[in-house]
Amino acid sequence: MTSYPPSKTHKRLYIQEVVTRDGFQAESSFIPTEQKIALINRLSHAGYAKIEVSSFTSPKAIPMLADAEAVMKGIERVPGVEYTVLIPNLKGAERAISVGVDEFNLVMSVSEAHNRANLKMAREDSFAALSSVIVLAHSNKIPTNISLSTSFGCPMSGITSLDDLMYWIDRFAAVGVRGVTICDTTGMANPAQVQKVCEVAQSKYPDLQWTLHFHNTRGMGLANALAAVNSGIDRFDSSLGGLGGCPYAPGATGNICTEEMVHMFDLMGFDTQIDIDALLACSKDLQSLIGRTLPSQLLMAGKVDKLYAAPCQP
Ligand code: COA
Ligand code: ZN
């Protein structure tokens, strides 16, 4: 697609797909393993920097992703794409090492209430457990990323302060993570807040790999992604069709929709390296797979260069 106005920068943006983890974890019926593998294989050829394949959580907590080993073993590993997985504890890390992953995406919440709901423990206990996972990862030469849930707000304890967020970023930076994902788990962030958070975080740790992870729960998702880009962020999580949601956060709904975000950034002249037509085809098939309409407005309306026949004149 041609951008307007024509871009002079063509800044590279790194797009990370989370539909088979954040998207599938909250589904009510189990998606067969071979369907998950087939979708990931198609997405692997669409230009992503990273794909979050699954999570090595307790199958009792997240039954939809109980087949994480089989999915990891079954997918094609396309060169240039990093295959990451969500890891909540040491047991999950050991399972992931047994099948080989490119990154551990560790998870804990900035909000104490959400951490207890999601991970059944206090933040300090999560931090201690994840510190052991980071030691294990380093001894296996696996890079680590920490996804900090409820970084902007929590449905149980309200808006997250920048000080609280920076406190946990400091702790994880000190134990040697490669990257930090700042997650708006239930769509509570606004663009001004995003801009401030991104500026402070990047200026304190310019060498960390920063990712922003937004949900569109209150319709601010793409506005927040734009605020992040304007603050220098170049890496985003997003979900095909806008599927997603945290089973442990009241009112949580889908992530920002990958094809909508890519369509916007492509039109603005950014270099996403994503084949948008391939995404739209995958998103359409995903609707059939889950048996309901996805929140993707782009899937409904088509790209801006789609032309319609003029209505008949009376
Ligand atoms: N993989 C497989 N099984 C696991 C596991 C893992 N990573 N972690 C724990 N288990 C098993 C234990 O072996 C135990 O099994 P048993 O009952 O057969 O003995 C059982 O789960 C309970 O173990 P426990 O250590 O007491 O864990 P818990 O019940 O306190 O659960 C978590 C802690 C973090 C593992 C669990 O809450 C979880 O996986 N949550 C999912 C978080 C998530 O993905 N949220 C959405 C994304 S943000
Ligand atoms: Zn999420």
Side-chain angles (χ1 to χ4, degrees):
M1 281 187 302
T2 313
S3 65
Y4 183 82
S7 167
K8 291 195 179 66
T9 59
H10 295 289
K11 184 180 173 183
R12 171 85 159 95
L13 298 181
Y14 300 87
I15 311 299
Q16 308 184 159
E17 182 56 56
V18 301
V19 68
T20 55
R21 198 281 296 171
D22 215 341
F24 287 175
Q25 71 185 9
E27 280 301 293
S28 52
S29 355
F30 188 78
I31 294 170
T33 307
E34 55 278 15
Q35 302 277 10
K36 291 173 179 154
I37 293 170
L39 175 60
I40 293 165
N41 286 348
R42 282 174 78 185
L43 294 171
S44 282
H45 293 280
Y48 286 99
K50 217 184 260 187
I51 296 178
E52 190 169 39
V53 172
S54 189
S55 71
F56 286 86
T57 45
S58 154
K60 281 180 200 145
I62 311 278
M64 295 304 140
L65 304 182
D67 57 356
E69 278 94 342
V71 175
M72 267 315 296
K73 276 198 247 173
I75 57 169
E76 180 192 351
R77 305 280 188 100
V78 173
V81 183
E82 271 193 60
Y83 296 92
T84 189
V85 291
L86 193 89
I87 306 276
N89 58 13
L90 213 43
K91 177 154 190 179
E94 283 158 0
R95 289 174 57 205
I97 288 171
S98 77
V99 289
V101 297
D102 296 333
E103 183 195 69
F104 282 179
N105 184 22
L106 314 176
V107 62
M108 73 165 269
S109 305
V110 178
S111 142
E112 181 74 18
H114 187 258
N115 204 66
R116 286 181 184 274
N118 193 29
L119 300 169
K120 321 266 179 275
M121 56 184 120
R123 290 172 299 178
E124 278 301 339
D125 294 334
S126 278
F127 182 77
L130 295 178
S131 298
S132 326
V133 174
I134 291 168
V135 170
L136 178 69
H138 288 168
S139 66
N140 284 275
K141 299 194 167 29
I142 300 170
T144 51
N145 183 81
I146 176 71
S147 278
L148 290 171
S149 302
T150 62
S151 284
F152 297 94
C154 164
M156 292 159 285
S157 51
I159 299 301
T160 304
S161 77
L162 183 51
D163 285 350
D164 281 352
L165 174 60
M166 289 310 297
Y167 173 79
W168 290 105
I169 289 173
D170 289 341
R171 300 276 305 268
F172 279 101
V175 290
V177 292
R178 175 182 68 166
V180 177
T181 302
I182 304 179
C183 302
D184 186 24
T185 311
T186 59
M188 291 174 70
N190 70 71
Q193 185 187 14
V194 169
Q195 185 179 333
K196 178 76 183 164
V197 164
C198 293
E199 284 170 2
V200 170
Q202 290 176 106
S203 69
K204 188 156 189 194
Y205 297 106
D207 297 330
L208 281 178
Q209 184 184 87
W210 292 104
T211 301
L212 268 287
H213 176 114
F214 293 114
H215 283 252
N216 198 34
T217 318
R218 291 175 178 78
M220 292 185 276
L222 284 191
N224 286 333
L226 189 55
V229 157
N230 288 339
S231 318
I233 295 293
D234 62 2
R235 195 171 277 275
F236 291 92
D237 283 351
S238 57
S239 179
L240 191 71
L243 193 69
C246 174
Y248 299 98
T253 56
N255 297 68
I256 50 173
C257 166
T258 309
E259 60 266 30
E260 287 176 2
M261 179 176 71
V262 167
H263 179 254
M264 175 180 82
F265 284 141
D266 283 353
L267 283 171
M268 294 175 73
F270 288 98
D271 174 17
T272 62
Q273 307 223 339
I274 297 276
D275 177 347
I276 182 93
D277 294 313
L279 286 200
L280 284 164
C282 288
S283 190
K284 189 161 177 272
D285 292 346
L286 179 60
Q287 275 194 162
S288 315
L289 181 62
I290 63 168
R292 62 176 197 277
T293 306
L294 285 164
S296 172
Q297 296 189 34
L298 193 68
L299 198 54
M300 244 184 300
K303 296 180 297 180
V304 291
D305 56 8
K306 176 178 171 181
L307 298 180
Y308 292 81
C312 296
Q313 298 298 318

PDB file of all heavy atoms in Angstrom, residues 276-291:
ATOM      1  N   ILE A 276       0.318  -7.970   4.789  1.00  0.00           N
ATOM      2  CA  ILE A 276      -1.014  -7.693   5.346  1.00  0.00           C
ATOM      3  C   ILE A 276      -2.099  -8.575   4.708  1.00  0.00           C
ATOM      4  O   ILE A 276      -3.039  -9.003   5.381  1.00  0.00           O
ATOM      5  CB  ILE A 276      -1.359  -6.176   5.219  1.00  0.00           C
ATOM      6  CG1 ILE A 276      -2.714  -5.824   5.835  1.00  0.00           C
ATOM      7  CG2 ILE A 276      -1.322  -5.685   3.804  1.00  0.00           C
ATOM      8  CD1 ILE A 276      -2.659  -5.385   7.240  1.00  0.00           C
ATOM      9  N   ASP A 277      -1.951  -8.883   3.423  1.00  0.00           N
ATOM     10  CA  ASP A 277      -2.961  -9.740   2.779  1.00  0.00           C
ATOM     11  C   ASP A 277      -2.933 -11.153   3.368  1.00  0.00           C
ATOM     12  O   ASP A 277      -3.989 -11.780   3.552  1.00  0.00           O
ATOM     13  CB  ASP A 277      -2.752  -9.768   1.256  1.00  0.00           C
ATOM     14  CG  ASP A 277      -3.010  -8.389   0.649  1.00  0.00           C
ATOM     15  OD1 ASP A 277      -4.039  -7.780   1.000  1.00  0.00           O
ATOM     16  OD2 ASP A 277      -2.160  -7.909  -0.131  1.00  0.00           O
ATOM     17  N   ALA A 278      -1.722 -11.619   3.683  1.00  0.00           N
ATOM     18  CA  ALA A 278      -1.613 -12.939   4.319  1.00  0.00           C
ATOM     19  C   ALA A 278      -2.293 -12.912   5.694  1.00  0.00           C
ATOM     20  O   ALA A 278      -3.004 -13.853   6.069  1.00  0.00           O
ATOM     21  CB  ALA A 278      -0.143 -13.336   4.462  1.00  0.00           C
ATOM     22  N   LEU A 279      -2.129 -11.807   6.420  1.00  0.00           N
ATOM     23  CA  LEU A 279      -2.770 -11.694   7.743  1.00  0.00           C
ATOM     24  C   LEU A 279      -4.285 -11.715   7.624  1.00  0.00           C
ATOM     25  O   LEU A 279      -4.974 -12.373   8.408  1.00  0.00           O
ATOM     26  CB  LEU A 279      -2.407 -10.368   8.436  1.00  0.00           C
ATOM     27  CG  LEU A 279      -1.045 -10.174   9.021  1.00  0.00           C
ATOM     28  CD1 LEU A 279      -1.077  -9.054  10.049  1.00  0.00           C
ATOM     29  CD2 LEU A 279      -0.546 -11.442   9.652  1.00  0.00           C
ATOM     30  N   LEU A 280      -4.799 -10.965   6.661  1.00  0.00           N
ATOM     31  CA  LEU A 280      -6.257 -10.906   6.501  1.00  0.00           C
ATOM     32  C   LEU A 280      -6.824 -12.284   6.151  1.00  0.00           C
ATOM     33  O   LEU A 280      -7.882 -12.672   6.654  1.00  0.00           O
ATOM     34  CB  LEU A 280      -6.631  -9.864   5.441  1.00  0.00           C
ATOM     35  CG  LEU A 280      -6.529  -8.414   5.942  1.00  0.00           C
ATOM     36  CD1 LEU A 280      -6.525  -7.427   4.779  1.00  0.00           C
ATOM     37  CD2 LEU A 280      -7.669  -8.078   6.907  1.00  0.00           C
ATOM     38  N   ALA A 281      -6.078 -13.029   5.341  1.00  0.00           N
ATOM     39  CA  ALA A 281      -6.536 -14.379   4.986  1.00  0.00           C
ATOM     40  C   ALA A 281      -6.524 -15.275   6.231  1.00  0.00           C
ATOM     41  O   ALA A 281      -7.475 -16.035   6.480  1.00  0.00           O
ATOM     42  CB  ALA A 281      -5.638 -14.954   3.886  1.00  0.00           C
ATOM     43  N   CYS A 282      -5.469 -15.161   7.041  1.00  0.00           N
ATOM     44  CA  CYS A 282      -5.389 -15.974   8.281  1.00  0.00           C
ATOM     45  C   CYS A 282      -6.506 -15.584   9.244  1.00  0.00           C
ATOM     46  O   CYS A 282      -7.111 -16.427   9.906  1.00  0.00           O
ATOM     47  CB  CYS A 282      -4.045 -15.764   8.992  1.00  0.00           C
ATOM     48  SG  CYS A 282      -2.640 -16.505   8.172  1.00  0.00           S
ATOM     49  N   SER A 283      -6.778 -14.287   9.348  1.00  0.00           N
ATOM     50  CA  SER A 283      -7.783 -13.790  10.279  1.00  0.00           C
ATOM     51  C   SER A 283      -9.178 -14.295   9.876  1.00  0.00           C
ATOM     52  O   SER A 283      -9.977 -14.711  10.716  1.00  0.00           O
ATOM     53  CB  SER A 283      -7.719 -12.261  10.275  1.00  0.00           C
ATOM     54  OG  SER A 283      -8.493 -11.734  11.286  1.00  0.00           O
ATOM     55  N   LYS A 284      -9.430 -14.283   8.565  1.00  0.00           N
ATOM     56  CA  LYS A 284     -10.724 -14.784   8.059  1.00  0.00           C
ATOM     57  C   LYS A 284     -10.890 -16.267   8.416  1.00  0.00           C
ATOM     58  O   LYS A 284     -11.945 -16.687   8.895  1.00  0.00           O
ATOM     59  CB  LYS A 284     -10.734 -14.579   6.535  1.00  0.00           C
ATOM     60  CG  LYS A 284     -12.036 -14.838   5.852  1.00  0.00           C
ATOM     61  CD  LYS A 284     -12.028 -14.167   4.474  1.00  0.00           C
ATOM     62  CE  LYS A 284     -13.308 -14.467   3.712  1.00  0.00           C
ATOM     63  NZ  LYS A 284     -13.213 -15.704   2.930  1.00  0.00           N
ATOM     64  N   ASP A 285      -9.832 -17.032   8.223  1.00  0.00           N
ATOM     65  CA  ASP A 285      -9.908 -18.462   8.539  1.00  0.00           C
ATOM     66  C   ASP A 285     -10.014 -18.696  10.045  1.00  0.00           C
ATOM     67  O   ASP A 285     -10.636 -19.666  10.485  1.00  0.00           O
ATOM     68  CB  ASP A 285      -8.683 -19.200   7.967  1.00  0.00           C
ATOM     69  CG  ASP A 285      -8.725 -19.215   6.435  1.00  0.00           C
ATOM     70  OD1 ASP A 285      -9.792 -18.912   5.868  1.00  0.00           O
ATOM     71  OD2 ASP A 285      -7.692 -19.520   5.812  1.00  0.00           O
ATOM     72  N   LEU A 286      -9.414 -17.795  10.827  1.00  0.00           N
ATOM     73  CA  LEU A 286      -9.511 -17.926  12.284  1.00  0.00           C
ATOM     74  C   LEU A 286     -10.959 -17.760  12.747  1.00  0.00           C
ATOM     75  O   LEU A 286     -11.411 -18.444  13.675  1.00  0.00           O
ATOM     76  CB  LEU A 286      -8.596 -16.881  12.958  1.00  0.00           C
ATOM     77  CG  LEU A 286      -8.595 -16.865  14.487  1.00  0.00           C
ATOM     78  CD1 LEU A 286      -8.146 -18.205  15.070  1.00  0.00           C
ATOM     79  CD2 LEU A 286      -7.681 -15.748  15.005  1.00  0.00           C
ATOM     80  N   GLN A 287     -11.684 -16.874  12.085  1.00  0.00           N
ATOM     81  CA  GLN A 287     -13.116 -16.700  12.418  1.00  0.00           C
ATOM     82  C   GLN A 287     -13.867 -18.018  12.247  1.00  0.00           C
ATOM     83  O   GLN A 287     -14.679 -18.380  13.080  1.00  0.00           O
ATOM     84  CB  GLN A 287     -13.756 -15.652  11.507  1.00  0.00           C
ATOM     85  CG  GLN A 287     -13.572 -14.265  11.988  1.00  0.00           C
ATOM     86  CD  GLN A 287     -14.477 -13.239  11.306  1.00  0.00           C
ATOM     87  OE1 GLN A 287     -14.633 -12.179  11.845  1.00  0.00           O
ATOM     88  NE2 GLN A 287     -15.061 -13.530  10.168  1.00  0.00           N
ATOM     89  N   SER A 288     -13.552 -18.721  11.155  1.00  0.00           N
ATOM     90  CA  SER A 288     -14.226 -20.014  10.934  1.00  0.00           C
ATOM     91  C   SER A 288     -13.781 -21.007  12.001  1.00  0.00           C
ATOM     92  O   SER A 288     -14.598 -21.784  12.509  1.00  0.00           O
ATOM     93  CB  SER A 288     -13.876 -20.589   9.556  1.00  0.00           C
ATOM     94  OG  SER A 288     -13.965 -19.599   8.588  1.00  0.00           O
ATOM     95  N   LEU A 289     -12.497 -20.961  12.359  1.00  0.00           N
ATOM     96  CA  LEU A 289     -11.974 -21.918  13.338  1.00  0.00           C
ATOM     97  C   LEU A 289     -12.652 -21.754  14.701  1.00  0.00           C
ATOM     98  O   LEU A 289     -13.023 -22.736  15.335  1.00  0.00           O
ATOM     99  CB  LEU A 289     -10.444 -21.731  13.459  1.00  0.00           C
ATOM    100  CG  LEU A 289      -9.686 -22.645  14.411  1.00  0.00           C
ATOM    101  CD1 LEU A 289      -9.820 -24.107  13.984  1.00  0.00           C
ATOM    102  CD2 LEU A 289      -8.204 -22.264  14.459  1.00  0.00           C
ATOM    103  N   ILE A 290     -12.817 -20.515  15.153  1.00  0.00           N
ATOM    104  CA  ILE A 290     -13.417 -20.323  16.486  1.00  0.00           C
ATOM    105  C   ILE A 290     -14.941 -20.174  16.416  1.00  0.00           C
ATOM    106  O   ILE A 290     -15.611 -20.125  17.436  1.00  0.00           O
ATOM    107  CB  ILE A 290     -12.796 -19.119  17.243  1.00  0.00           C
ATOM    108  CG1 ILE A 290     -13.052 -17.796  16.511  1.00  0.00           C
ATOM    109  CG2 ILE A 290     -11.305 -19.313  17.495  1.00  0.00           C
ATOM    110  CD1 ILE A 290     -12.716 -16.579  17.349  1.00  0.00           C
ATOM    111  N   GLY A 291     -15.460 -20.067  15.208  1.00  0.00           N
ATOM    112  CA  GLY A 291     -16.919 -20.087  15.040  1.00  0.00           C
ATOM    113  C   GLY A 291     -17.635 -18.820  15.478  1.00  0.00           C
ATOM    114  O   GLY A 291     -18.804 -18.862  15.854  1.00  0.00           O
TER     115      GLY A 291
END
